[in-house]
Amino acid sequence: MAKVLVIGGGAAGMMAAIFAARNGHDVHLFEKNEKLGKKIYITGKGRCNLTNACDMEELLDSVVTNKKFLYSSFYGFTNEETMEFFQSIGLEIKIERGNRVFPVSDHSSDVIRVLERELRRLNVKLYLREKVTWVGTSENRFSYLKLENGETVKGDACIIATGGNSYQTTGSDGDGYRFAEELDHTVTEISPALVPVEIKEGFVKELQGLSLRNVEISVLDDRKEVYREFGEMLFTHYGVSGPLILSASSFVGSRLKKKTLRLIIDLKPALSFEQLDARVLRDFEENKNRQFKNALDKLFPSKLIPVIVTLSGICPEKKVNEITKEERHRLVSLIKGMEMTMTKLRDFNEAIITQGGVSVKEINPATMESKKVGGVYFAGEVLDLDAVTGGFNLQIAWSTGNAAGSSVFDE
C-alpha cells in the first residue's frame, strides 16, 4: 500500500483518487477551493456533458491536440466504461443529440455528489481549502508536498491534476504548469480554447442574442480553408459564440494571433445555389407587391432581416417585382456566404478549456507518469491535450485520471 497524494479536486483528480483508492492505496486529495468539482459544476451550462457516446474513431477524431498520446488511456478507460462507471456509483444518465451524455437530472451537482460519495466510501482523505505550493523530490523521485500553511506532507506518489488556465474563478490558475516546470518539465505555450471570437463588423451588435441552427461555417486564412463544420452558433455584442464557433476556436487560435481570418456562414447549407434561387424566386412571387424589407420573413428570423437587407445592397423600399435577376443572385450569394472578419479570441475568463500545457512527450501515455521524475503523475487539462465540444474534454479527464490512479505502483 502506497501513500498517494492528489493535487486538485476536479474531474481528473477525483477520478485518479478513486482508482488509486480502489487499488488499495492510502489516498489524500488536496483541493484549494472550499468544495470539490467547481469547474464540473459549470460545464454544459450547469448540466455537465460528462462524455460522448460515439464510437472510438469519432472520439479520437474529436481530439484537437496530441490525439495519438490518448490511444492508451482512451482504450484503457473508454467512454462506454465511463458511462458504466457513473451508473455503477449511482448516477442515472441519458444520451442526447450529438451523442452527448448528461445526468438524467440535468444537474451537474449530481455528478459531483456521486464522485464525492465514492471518494468517502473508499476512505480517501479530503483536504479542502488546502493550497499546495511545492512538489518536493528526493533522488529524482517524488518525496513530499508543501502546503501554503507551511505544513509538509510526505508521500510515495503524487498525481498533479490542477486543471488548466481557463475559468480562473474555479481555481484553475496555472499552478500545475509551475509545478511541472520546477520538476524540469516542458510546458508548451498556453492559449484560451473553446472560446468565443471577436468580429470586426459592427452589425454583429444588432444580432446580439440571435442563435442560428443548421448553418455551416468555414474559416479562411486568405484562400486556405482552416475549418468547416455544420451546426449551431450564436451572435454576441462583440462577435460570435455557440458550439460551432467554440470548436472552431481550437483550430484557428494560433493563426488569429498573427492575422485576421474570414468567417463565412452558409445560412441555408441544405440548398444549392440553384435550389435557393428557386426558393427566393417563389417567395418573391408570393410577395411581389411588397417592399423588399418586408418580403424576407419566411427566409430569416426577424432580427437578421435588417442586416441581410443592408448587406445585400438592395434598396429596402424597392418593390419585390422590381428586383433584378442580378440583385436576386447577389442576395442568394450573400445567404450562401455571409462574410465577416474574425479579429481575436476572447480571453481565459471566457474559455472553457486551455490549449497547451505539460508536454506529453515527457509523460508515459499508458500510466501518465513523468518520464523525468519517478512517482509523479499528471492527469487532465494540465496536460497539452484538448478536444472540441461535446463531452470530449471531460472524457480526456476521466481517461487520464483513471490511467494515473490505476497505475500508481502498478509497475
Side-chain angles (χ1 to χ4, degrees):
M1 176 161 83
K3 186 175 180 182
V4 181
L5 311 182
V6 181
I7 313 174
M14 286 193 278
M15 191 61 95
I18 284 169
F19 280 91
R22 285 185 178 186
N23 276 1
H25 298 304
D26 173 24
V27 183
H28 300 248
L29 188 154
F30 298 87
E31 168 54 58
K32 65 182 175 186
N33 286 313
E34 74 288 354
K35 58 186 175 185
L36 300 173
K38 253 190 147 173
K39 191 169 176 187
I40 294 174
Y41 190 72
I42 58 173
T43 59
K45 295 176 183 168
R47 295 173 62 218
C48 188
N49 179 190
L50 56 95
T51 187
N52 194 288
C54 62
D55 59 34
M56 188 54 76
E57 190 178 351
E58 189 183 332
L59 189 67
L60 285 161
D61 281 346
S62 300
V63 177
V64 177
T65 310
N66 293 317
K67 177 185 359 186
K68 285 183 179 171
F69 177 83
L70 283 163
Y71 278 37
S72 290
S73 57
F74 268 5
Y75 279 103
F77 192 68
T78 65
N79 48 348
E80 290 289 332
E81 287 172 299
T82 298
M83 291 187 277
E84 287 165 15
F85 165 80
F86 277 105
Q87 287 170 310
S88 75
I89 62 171
L91 185 74
E92 290 184 73
I93 58 172
K94 60 180 175 179
I95 300 171
E96 294 188 1
R97 188 166 50 92
N99 282 319
R100 294 174 304 164
V101 180
F102 291 92
V104 165
S105 67
D106 282 331
H107 294 308
S108 53
S109 53
D110 287 341
V111 177
I112 303 162
R113 182 177 51 77
V114 295
L115 288 168
E116 189 167 353
R117 190 171 65 200
E118 183 66 2
L119 288 164
R120 294 188 188 282
R121 186 187 73 80
L122 293 163
N123 295 316
V124 173
K125 284 79 173 177
L126 303 176
Y127 303 85
L128 301 176
R129 296 188 179 88
E130 288 286 10
K131 181 179 168 71
V132 176
T133 57
W134 183 260
V135 178
T137 60
S138 175
E139 297 176 1
N140 214 34
R141 275 200 71 82
F142 172 69
S143 175
Y144 64 93
L145 296 180
K146 191 163 267 189
L147 306 181
E148 194 171 48
N149 63 15
E151 188 183 339
T152 296
V153 184
K154 291 189 173 181
D156 303 302
C158 171
I159 300 172
I160 298 172
T162 48
N165 207 50
S166 57
Y167 283 141
Q168 296 191 352
T169 51
T170 64
S172 301
D173 57 5
D175 279 351
Y177 307 137
R178 180 171 56 78
F179 297 149
E181 286 174 336
E182 286 163 354
L183 295 168
D184 197 31
H185 277 270
T186 306
V187 175
T188 64
E189 184 184 359
I190 62 166
S191 57
L194 300 187
V195 66
V197 178
E198 294 190 9
I199 295 293
K200 178 182 173 184
E201 286 73 16
F203 64 71
V204 295
K205 286 190 177 70
E206 298 171 48
L207 300 173
Q208 180 180 350
L210 175 66
S211 180
L212 297 178
R213 289 187 173 184
N214 304 320
V215 297
E216 185 176 66
I217 68 163
S218 51
V219 182
L220 301 180
D221 181 348
D222 296 326
R223 291 186 180 179
K224 180 181 168 65
E225 185 177 280
V226 292
Y227 185 79
R228 178 184 287 271
E229 195 54 75
F230 173 88
E232 191 175 331
M233 63 172 286
L234 172 74
F235 287 97
T236 67
H237 65 286
Y238 53 77
V240 284
S241 186
L244 268 183
I245 301 298
L246 296 179
S247 288
S249 72
S250 292
F251 293 89
V252 306
S254 57
R255 292 171 188 267
L256 267 183
K257 286 178 183 173
K258 301 169 193 158
K259 61 196 295 195
T260 61
L261 300 173
R262 287 160 60 213
L263 169 65
I264 316 287
I265 305 171
D266 184 344
L267 295 164
K268 302 288 178 186
L271 302 176
S272 67
F273 184 95
E274 292 73 24
Q275 289 170 324
L276 181 58
D277 189 39
R279 161 82 195 274
V280 171
L281 196 56
R282 200 165 61 243
D283 280 8
F284 279 6
E285 282 294 316
E286 291 173 13
N287 295 281
K288 54 188 174 189
N289 293 316
R290 299 179 77 180
Q291 293 178 324
F292 174 55
K293 66 181 180 183
N294 297 323
L296 299 173
D297 49 348
K298 281 190 177 175
L299 275 169
F300 308 112
S302 57
K303 212 170 203 178
L304 187 55
I305 292 171
V307 172
I308 291 289
V309 169
T310 302
L311 294 177
S312 74
I314 302 169
C315 175
E317 279 76 34
K318 194 170 191 175
K319 289 277 179 67
V320 166
N321 60 9
E322 295 172 359
I323 290 174
T324 65
K325 182 179 178 182
E326 184 191 340
E327 286 175 322
R328 191 183 76 240
H329 281 180
R330 206 162 68 221
L331 172 65
V332 173
S333 295
L334 170 64
I335 298 168
K336 294 293 290 175
M338 186 179 176
E339 186 169 328
M340 29 201 107
T341 312
M342 289 179 153
T343 56
K344 66 174 185 174
L345 301 181
R346 299 290 278 181
D347 63 22
F348 276 113
N349 289 322
E350 293 178 54
I352 294 173
I353 58 160
T354 305
Q355 198 163 55
V358 178
S359 171
V360 297
K361 292 175 185 169
E362 298 163 3
I363 307 296
N364 181 326
T367 65
M368 297 298 138
E369 186 173 16
S370 162
K371 291 178 180 177
K372 296 197 158 200
V373 185
V376 170
Y377 300 74
F378 291 89
E381 201 185 330
V382 70
L383 290 162
D384 183 12
L385 300 166
D386 64 282
V388 297
T389 57
F392 303 105
N393 288 286
L394 268 178
Q395 185 59 49
I396 291 174
W398 309 132
S399 290
T400 57
N402 168 270
S406 301
S407 303
V408 172
F409 287 96
D410 200 30
E411 295 91 64

